[in-house]
Amino acid sequence: MWRTARLVAAKDLGIEWRSRQVTNQVLPFAGLTLVLFAFALDRDEITARVAPGLFWLATTFSLIVLVQRTFAVETADGALDTLRVAGVDPAGIYLGKALALAAQLVVLEALLLVGVIVFYASHIRPAGIVLVIVTAFLATSGLAFVGTLYGGLAAGAKGRETLLPLLLLPVVAPVLIGATRAFEAAFGTRGGEGIRAGVEISDGWPWVGMLAIFAAVFGAAGVLAFGPLLEEA
Amino acid sequence: MSTTVPNPQSIPGTNASAVSRRWRGITSTGFSRVLGVATLVLVVWLVLFGLLFSPPDQTQQSSVRIMYIHVPTAWVAYLAFGVTGLSSAMYLFRRAHSLAWDRVAGASAEIGVMFMALTLITGSLWGRLTWGVYWAWDARLTTTAFLFVTYVGYLAVRRLGGSHQARAKRSAVLGLLAVIEIPLVHFSVELWRSLHQEASVANPSGDVKMDGLMLFSLFVGLIAFSLLYFWLVLHRQRAMYLEDQYDDADLDVALVERRAETKEHSRA
């Protein structure tokens, strides 16, 4: 299973390395959303305050585009059917595709983080760096697992472009909430007023626990469910 | 990739004569007729008790009457989604992969979505009267909204096309995923914030804080709406069975026509 996963992930990343579709299209799209958020929200103090939320919104939107792309590669020439006929372990395919998706998300998030710091004048508290890294790791795992699972579900179906956001966005809501709250703690935003005046770094860690549960549950569900999903596609 | 050609062999008991013998194109049976009449009687009863006999609330006045619809619709929606999850599991884990379970899951989800919409509408009307706002970002409200959207997505997946078995498997997986998704959503929103009125009947301490007649009206509502749910599911899943039959029959008819055509061609 793990060998298959490694091979599938290497294949996906290899395709991306040659086509540069994500680099040339998805990354600029994510950056563009950050700029558009700034237009919509207008005021500097507001964007600085909601920067963690905008970061994860931009990531979530990009996730949809990335998932479309990762399954467009498989369904275009019936590649998925070929893999199935060749008797490749579906769990391995699932993990491999999730791994490749996670790798792309990590690159995207690193650039978005720079974008948030540059455009929204956010700064990470030195003590919050560990929290940011752990949160990003777990949230990315969760997003990649869910994205691959629902991407596989919608793959090959008519109207999948419009269906995927409808299926995916409600499911990733916990990640959006949890990762945003954890980032707020690490950034030290939301200080001054409101119900959560002056967040501490330690306020972020319960959310990290929730993100871990989310990633574990959907990772397990994906390994189990991907086989039956491929059979019928 | 997907084709709209269903495979008649994969569906047990699908010859046309069996259909006409059993239902003759209508979806009612003696049992469902009795159930329908009982439901109707209870609904009338609920209207009388909810609007006339039960007293207005001390603080909420007559707006409390929304509860007699709001609570039962919410209950039925949760029941319906529970049935969808259960039927999805039955379809997926039973070796027979019976489409009957799939149709029950689908019918139940449709009705659940309808009742969930009613819950959200009645709830926001009540919220406007009592809280002054239509919507509040409370844990239970938000979870309910997500439940609604999730099953709207589920229904969209059911309409994707493909063979009946393909539809059944895809939606069964999704039905089970929804079951694990909802607690996670609820848990995360719960952590985020909470404001909803504490449950007045099913609260942990066990003592009911409600006037007797109001409580009675509420229970009438719960029973009436539960019966309504069963009546609707019965009919809807039978209608779905007929739709599936129709799809298959269409294919058979087309095949016969094509064969007849080729015969004529060869004769000419």
Side-chain angles (χ1 to χ4, degrees):
Chain A
M1 185 169 86
W2 295 108
R3 212 179 81 86
T4 315
R6 235 185 18 250
L7 289 173
V8 170
K11 167 199 74 94
D12 271 17
L13 292 175
I15 292 173
E16 170 47 31
W17 186 251
R18 287 193 203 141
S19 70
R20 300 287 165 88
Q21 198 165 337
V22 173
T23 327
N24 291 343
Q25 294 173 11
V26 183
L27 293 183
F29 163 74
L32 192 61
T33 49
L34 282 190
V35 177
L36 290 179
F37 282 143
F39 291 163
L41 297 174
D42 196 23
R43 305 266 290 280
D44 289 356
E45 63 267 24
I46 297 177
T47 47
R49 195 153 181 220
V50 298
L54 297 184
F55 173 88
W56 285 109
L57 261 183
T59 308
T60 312
F61 288 153
S62 309
L63 172 75
I64 292 170
V65 186
L66 285 175
V67 171
Q68 306 270 27
R69 166 74 185 150
T70 188
F71 279 95
V73 171
E74 297 297 346
T75 47
D77 302 312
L80 214 51
D81 292 334
T82 317
L83 282 177
R84 217 177 81 213
V85 171
V88 182
D89 181 13
I93 301 177
Y94 173 74
L95 288 175
K97 292 202 80 68
L99 201 63
L101 186 61
Q104 296 172 23
L105 277 172
V106 165
V107 174
L108 179 100
E109 284 164 17
L111 289 173
L112 275 179
L113 202 58
V114 174
V116 164
I117 290 169
V118 171
F119 289 132
Y120 300 160
S122 302
H123 53 90
I124 306 170
R125 297 194 252 187
I129 291 176
V130 180
L131 179 60
V132 165
I133 292 173
V134 175
T135 302
F137 172 74
L138 289 172
T140 306
S141 315
L143 290 177
F145 282 140
V146 169
T148 311
L149 181 53
Y150 281 80
L153 191 100
K158 281 173 288 179
R160 61 176 173 278
E161 298 84 359
T162 43
L163 177 67
L164 191 64
L166 174 64
L167 295 180
L168 206 49
L169 288 177
V171 189
V172 299
V175 175
L176 188 68
I177 296 175
T180 303
R181 295 290 97 77
F183 264 37
E184 277 170 356
F187 284 23
T189 46
R190 278 213 177 192
E193 56 182 62
I195 39 170
R196 247 175 300 254
V199 270
E200 298 293 321
I201 303 270
S202 58
D203 292 340
W205 288 102
W207 294 106
V208 171
M210 197 212 72
L211 292 173
I213 295 172
F214 185 93
V217 166
F218 274 101
V223 167
L224 291 176
F226 210 63
L229 281 181
L230 284 196
E231 269 170 43
E232 60 82 20
Chain B
M1 281 287 298
S2 57
T3 54
T4 48
V5 181
N7 178 6
Q9 264 81 50
S10 63
I11 304 139
T14 47
N15 51 65
S17 63
V19 189
S20 56
R21 256 206 321 275
R22 285 182 69 186
W23 289 317
R24 296 186 183 283
I26 48 172
T27 57
S28 66
T29 58
F31 174 69
S32 73
R33 271 186 217 112
V34 172
L35 189 62
V37 172
T39 308
L40 206 62
V41 170
L42 273 171
V43 167
V44 172
W45 197 345
L46 174 66
V47 169
L48 290 177
F49 270 86
L51 292 180
L52 296 176
F53 301 153
S54 72
D57 188 73
Q58 279 180 347
T59 49
Q60 298 175 16
Q61 307 304 331
S62 271
S63 71
V64 74
R65 297 180 200 282
I66 294 177
M67 174 184 73
Y68 305 129
I69 292 185
H70 178 69
V71 175
T73 48
W75 147 252
V76 166
Y78 277 92
L79 174 73
F81 296 149
V83 169
T84 298
L86 212 62
S87 312
S88 300
M90 290 301 277
Y91 168 81
L92 216 52
F93 298 129
R94 282 286 182 92
R95 189 160 292 188
H97 291 313
S98 160
L99 281 171
W101 284 117
D102 167 62
R103 285 188 288 261
V104 172
S108 192
E110 280 182 8
I111 294 155
V113 163
M114 184 187 77
F115 277 102
M116 194 105 277
L118 287 174
T119 306
L120 289 168
I121 292 168
T122 52
S124 63
L125 290 177
W126 181 85
R128 182 79 180 88
L129 290 171
T130 314
W131 298 336
V133 287
Y134 288 107
W135 185 262
W137 291 105
D138 151 72
R140 209 185 301 193
L141 265 70
T142 313
T143 306
T144 307
F146 270 94
L147 208 57
F148 179 69
V149 176
T150 300
Y151 281 92
V152 168
Y154 171 88
L155 292 183
V157 166
R158 288 193 70 87
R159 309 184 78 92
L160 279 180
S163 72
H164 297 330
Q165 285 291 347
R167 174 198 70 194
K169 195 170 274 177
R170 198 171 1 209
S171 43
V173 169
L174 193 61
L176 287 183
L177 283 177
V179 173
I180 59 171
E181 173 207 334
I182 293 306
L184 280 168
V185 168
H186 185 77
F187 177 53
S188 65
V189 183
E190 183 90 9
L191 263 175
W192 184 38
R193 54 180 53 174
S194 226
L195 167 80
H196 194 282
Q197 169 140 1
E198 288 286 306
S200 318
V201 178
N203 61 347
S205 58
D207 53 333
V208 175
K209 296 174 244 166
M210 208 185 277
D211 173 81
L213 207 51
M214 286 164 105
L215 195 63
F216 179 74
S217 309
L218 185 59
F219 279 122
V220 171
L222 284 174
I223 296 168
F225 276 77
S226 299
L227 290 186
L228 180 61
Y229 163 76
F230 284 116
W231 186 78
L232 284 169
V233 167
L234 273 180
H235 281 274
R236 184 62 190 123
Q237 61 94 18
R238 281 174 195 161
M240 282 172 146
Y241 177 75
L242 294 175
E243 276 168 19
D244 284 358
Q245 297 288 304
Y246 181 73
D247 277 350
D248 297 340
D250 247 12
L251 178 71
D252 289 342
V253 170
L255 277 176
V256 170
E257 276 174 359
R258 289 299 91 72
R259 281 201 193 107
E261 262 176 30
T262 36
K263 258 183 207 161
E264 269 170 33
H265 276 295
S266 55
R267 232 178 282 150

